[in-house]
Structures are given as C-alpha cells and as structure tokens.
Amino acid sequence: MEQNVPAERTLSVCKRLCYASGHFLNDLCASMWFTYMLVYLHSVLGMQSTFAGVLLLVGQVADGLCTPLVGYESDKSSGRRHGKRKSWHLLGSVCVLLSFPFIFNPCLACSANTPQWAEIVYFVPFIIIFQFGWAATQISHLSLIPELVSCESAKVELTAYRYAFTVVANITVYTIAWLLFHFQAQQDIDITDNLSRADIPLFRMLAFIVLAIGAVFSIIFHAGTKEASGTEGEDPLLAPSPSLSDDDEEASPRRMFQWRHWLKEPSFYQVAFLYMCTRLIVNLSQSYISVYLTNSLMLRKDFIAIIPLVMYISGFVSSLAMKPISKLVDISMIYFAGLLLVISFAAWVILDQNMGADSIYGAAVLLGAGSAIILVMSLSMTAKLIGEHTQSGAFVYGSMSFTDKVANGVGVIVIQSIRPCSTETCCPACIWFYRDVMVIVTGGVALAATGCLLTILIWPIKTRKTE
C-alpha cells in the first residue's frame, strides 16, 4: 500500500534572510552583555568583582529559569492570528527594548555614597526583564527552524544563516565600539588608555545604537516570516488522536511528542550536555576576553573591540562554509573539527608566555572559527533531535538553553569569587589568573565536549518513539 510522503519544506533566499534577521536584536544585546558586562561593572562603574559576578549570575539564572517555561508555554499557546512563535518573539523583543538601556547606564537614583549592594538591587529588576525577553525571543526563533524547513541540510543551512547574522551582529557591536573609542581619543586628550568612569557615556551610546538597529531588524523578521497559525500546516501524523487513550498514544509511533517523552530519551541528555559545553566555551570566552586583553596582556582598551571583531570575522567566514561541508561530512565530525580549533587556541595561550599585540590576532582567528563551527553544529544537532516533533520543539530548545544559562552563571560567579583581588585595580596575580581562565573555559571544556561527542558517535542521535 502506498504511503503519502510529506513534501520537504524549504524557503527562498529572501525568506531565509528575513527569518535570520529575527534574532539580530538578541545577538546585538548578547554581544554587549557577554563581552562588556563584567568589564563595564568592574572597570567602569568600579564594582567589586564578586558583586559584578552576582549580577551576571542573576541574569543567567533568570534566563535559565525562563527558557523552559517560555518553551512550554509557547508549545501550548495557539497564536492563531500572529502565530504562536512570532507572538512570543514580539513580546520578548518589547521587553528587551524597554529594559536593556537601564543595564548599561549608572544607577539613576544613586549617589557617590550609595553602597554597592543598593546598586545591585537597582539593576536586578531590569536584568530579569531583559533576560525574560531575551529568552522568549530566542526560544520562539529557534523553534521556528523545524517548522519552516524539514530536511536536515535545510535545517543546517537555516541555522548557518542564523549564525551568520549572529556574527554580523557581533561585528556591528565591535565596530561601533571601536569607532566610539576612536572618536573619544580624538576629542579628549585627557582620556587614558585604561577603562574608567569617563567611559560611561561611551557604553550608554553603544547601547542606544544597537537597540535602534536591532528594532529595525525585528520589524523585518515579523514582516517577512510567515508562520502557520493555529493548526494550519500541522502534520496530521504528528497530531494526537482524540480517540486514543494515553496508553495508546505511548504505543503509537509518530504521535505528538510531549515534554515528558523527551525526558525518557537518552539522546536528549547527550545533546543537552554537548550544547551546554558549547555555550560555556562561546559565552565564557566572550565574557573574559576583554579582561584577559586588558589585565593579562596589558593591551589598550580599544583592543576589547578589535580582537572580538577579528574573532567574529573568522567565525563569519567559517559559517559560510557550513552548508556545503555538511552535505559531504557528518555534522558530528564537523563539530569535532571545531573543537580541535578551540583546543589549539588554548594550547597557544598556555604555551606562548610572551603573547602580545601581534600573536593575539592568530589565536583570535582560531577561537573565532572554532566557536562558530561548534555553535552552528550543536544547534543543528538539536534540530536533528527534534526532527518532525515540532509541537514540543520549544521545550527542547528551552531545556538546552536552561543547562547552558545555569552553567554559565555558576561558572562566572566561581571565577569572580576566586579572583586574587576584588578591587577595581588588578594585582600582579591577575595576569596569570585570567590567562588560566581563558585556557580552562576553552581547552578544558572542549575536552569534556569531546568525551560527550564520542558517546554520540557510539549511540547516534535518535528518538526511540519513532523507531
């Protein structure tokens, strides 16, 4: 008996670009959050290192708690008019736009005598609102991938488009930051090469510029991306039958995958751990590259814009090669190649005792390319895990994001707590401390990811309910 095979869902180039633009606002804000938040709080506002770590931890925990909840609610909602994913995306974008300006601004109600714990209380509500909005935008945007396209190569391609926009967003932030530093140096001869409170207007201006640009791209996404509303376009093979009991639903393959079903899948935990390791490498290296450049290598403050820019240009070039390579090589092998580049960066940092302004460029290229590869491939593995079970896809992405947010928050607070000195001025011990941090969060975590990847090679990603 002939079976009806659903046609493969694909998108035109224009629609792929419109889709990819939907995370641009998030990417711009994330670039500032991870690259400049710690150095802004500690070196610009003068907070103690532990207090700065607490604020970053609050943000990561809030994001981690919001992501699975948003994913669960997104899967449940109908969104018949605007689409359930796009409705959550719109809500998240509004929250980001309203809260982010207050984060990169000094406490408006504080004075010179205000204790630092009061500043933390001031920043926390804005950080929580921002992280909720960021999570809602991220999860809804990721959940659209398996709904817009069906074949694996198309998912990899759409993920690569998405990451290409991520790279462009980071390049945009670092380019604007470099220009602001450049204009600042030309206009005021009293400005030093080190970060201080005199740089507050620079970071404020940077935040307003990226929000304006991000808002434009969010409008492009909503105007150019069409999501099936309600049950429109839903695969009847995946929909639950009202005539079946829960026991019958468990026994029937290709029925709707609910959140509790994912918790019984070994591949769910494999991909979650790999995604967590990937985000630890990408986010922690991005968070500490600025302090590594200024405190360990003693470079000028404009290098906190130049070196991240080099990293993301190399990442952008790598992301362009993802689609053709993924058609020839398994995504697990491509991920392993990215890990080798990250490990090479860590080896370079630990072995080159006299690394300076010249050699840091080569190391940055390795880290940028490796980070891009493992991030694109980890997202592709997650899309592969979801497959046709798109109704609960937001829960999967939310769960993956929960592991990485909590791990990143814990990692930051641990690092900030064991920092040799807590004052604004860095002591000689910090020179080696931040070098070791960069080595551990790249090479050490990459080795853990390699171990997880080996389990995936032995037990490939699959869902037993569909066998």
Side-chain angles (χ1 to χ4, degrees):
M1 182 177 178
E2 238 179 70
Q3 293 183 346
N4 291 327
V5 180
E8 290 187 350
R9 301 187 300 275
T10 58
L11 295 177
S12 65
V13 174
C14 180
K15 290 184 177 179
R16 290 176 217 156
L17 292 172
C18 288
Y19 164 79
S21 68
H23 207 253
F24 202 68
L25 172 62
N26 261 21
D27 292 329
L28 291 169
C29 294
S31 179
M32 284 196 65
W33 172 267
F34 285 111
T35 307
Y36 296 135
M37 186 65 173
L38 281 177
V39 74
Y40 174 76
L41 293 174
H42 184 62
S43 299
V44 178
L45 296 187
M47 280 191 181
Q48 293 183 14
S49 59
T50 304
F51 288 167
V54 166
L55 283 177
L56 205 68
L57 174 64
V58 168
Q60 294 304 104
V61 171
D63 195 355
L65 293 175
C66 287
T67 43
L69 295 177
V70 168
Y72 178 73
E73 291 298 326
S74 175
D75 288 332
K76 283 177 55 181
S77 59
S78 60
R80 292 186 179 275
R81 287 189 176 181
H82 197 57
K84 62 181 180 179
R85 309 302 186 194
K86 288 178 64 179
S87 297
W88 278 93
H89 184 284
L90 180 61
L91 173 63
S93 299
V94 171
C95 290
V96 169
L97 290 170
L98 293 178
S99 60
F100 194 72
F102 294 94
I103 297 175
F104 278 91
N105 242 332
C107 173
L108 298 179
C110 300
S111 65
N113 298 323
T114 302
Q116 291 194 356
W117 64 263
E119 293 186 65
I120 292 178
V121 174
Y122 170 84
F123 282 114
V124 163
F126 297 114
I127 289 176
I128 292 176
I129 295 172
F130 164 67
Q131 293 293 356
F132 166 78
W134 202 96
T137 304
Q138 180 202 34
I139 298 306
S140 57
H141 194 255
L142 282 172
S143 302
L144 278 171
I145 293 178
E147 295 187 8
L148 295 175
V149 294
S150 56
C151 65
E152 185 174 325
S153 62
K155 292 176 184 177
V156 172
E157 181 181 24
L158 205 55
T159 304
Y161 268 81
R162 186 179 184 274
Y163 185 75
F165 268 76
T166 300
V167 174
V168 172
N170 282 273
I171 291 173
T172 301
V173 170
Y174 301 136
T175 301
I176 296 172
W178 178 81
L179 290 173
L180 290 175
F181 278 122
H182 180 69
F183 293 147
Q184 181 196 60
Q186 286 187 332
Q187 293 175 2
D188 195 338
I189 59 175
D190 295 329
I191 295 295
T192 65
D193 287 337
N194 300 320
L195 291 167
S196 66
R197 291 190 69 87
D199 296 302
I200 289 176
L202 186 148
F203 284 96
R204 181 193 299 128
M205 179 62 66
L206 180 60
F208 283 127
I209 292 174
V210 300
L211 287 176
I213 296 173
V216 172
F217 279 87
S218 293
I219 293 172
I220 293 174
F221 163 76
H222 282 275
T225 303
K226 179 174 174 55
E227 176 192 358
S229 302
T231 58
E232 181 187 344
E234 188 175 284
D235 188 346
L237 290 174
L238 298 174
S241 171
S243 62
L244 292 177
S245 66
D246 288 339
D247 293 335
D248 292 332
E249 185 182 332
E250 290 284 347
S252 177
R254 296 187 59 79
R255 294 293 173 185
M256 178 183 282
F257 238 52
Q258 298 180 5
W259 66 269
R260 65 178 184 273
H261 299 140
W262 289 112
L263 301 180
K264 302 175 184 177
E265 296 294 331
S267 290
F268 175 80
Y269 299 98
Q270 288 176 299
V271 175
F273 184 81
L274 198 69
Y275 184 80
M276 180 189 72
C277 290
T278 300
R279 282 297 185 177
L280 279 173
I281 294 171
V282 174
N283 294 343
L284 288 184
S285 64
Q286 190 176 0
S287 295
Y288 284 97
I289 189 67
S290 295
V291 287
Y292 170 66
L293 293 171
T294 55
N295 294 341
S296 294
L297 302 186
M298 304 295 183
L299 299 176
R300 300 188 316 270
K301 63 183 179 182
D302 59 339
F303 270 82
I304 69 174
I306 297 172
I307 296 304
L309 180 60
V310 172
M311 289 171 51
Y312 277 92
I313 289 175
S314 65
F316 178 72
V317 174
S318 301
S319 67
L320 295 178
M322 290 300 99
K323 181 190 176 183
I325 294 177
S326 66
K327 292 183 177 180
L328 303 174
V329 184
D330 184 73
I331 58 177
S332 298
M333 291 294 98
I334 303 175
Y335 185 92
F336 181 66
L339 287 178
L340 291 179
L341 292 177
V342 173
I343 293 173
S344 299
F345 164 82
W348 192 335
V349 170
I350 198 69
L351 294 176
D352 191 351
Q353 300 290 331
N354 300 314
M355 180 177 286
D358 296 329
S359 54
I360 187 61
Y361 287 100
V365 169
L366 290 178
L367 181 58
S371 298
I373 292 171
I374 62 176
L375 186 56
V376 171
M377 290 301 103
S378 65
L379 290 173
S380 298
M381 289 180 189
T382 307
K384 179 179 180 180
L385 173 69
I386 295 173
E388 293 299 321
H389 306 299
T390 58
Q391 292 87 347
S392 55
F395 171 79
V396 176
Y397 283 115
S399 301
M400 302 295 166
S401 188
F402 173 78
T403 62
D404 100 73
K405 297 302 187 302
V406 173
N408 275 285
V410 171
V412 167
I413 196 62
V414 168
I415 293 171
Q416 293 298 106
S417 299
I418 63 176
R419 184 178 185 265
C421 56
S422 60
T423 58
E424 181 180 350
T425 305
C426 191
C427 65
C430 290
I431 296 176
W432 303 111
F433 175 75
Y434 285 119
R435 185 204 66 175
D436 294 341
V437 166
M438 288 300 297
V439 171
I440 293 172
V441 301
T442 54
V445 179
L447 291 177
T450 302
C452 180
L453 186 64
L454 289 176
T455 68
I456 292 178
L457 294 175
I458 298 172
W459 299 287
I461 298 172
K462 61 183 178 182
T463 52
R464 292 172 301 175
K465 275 178 68 73
T466 57
E467 291 178 344

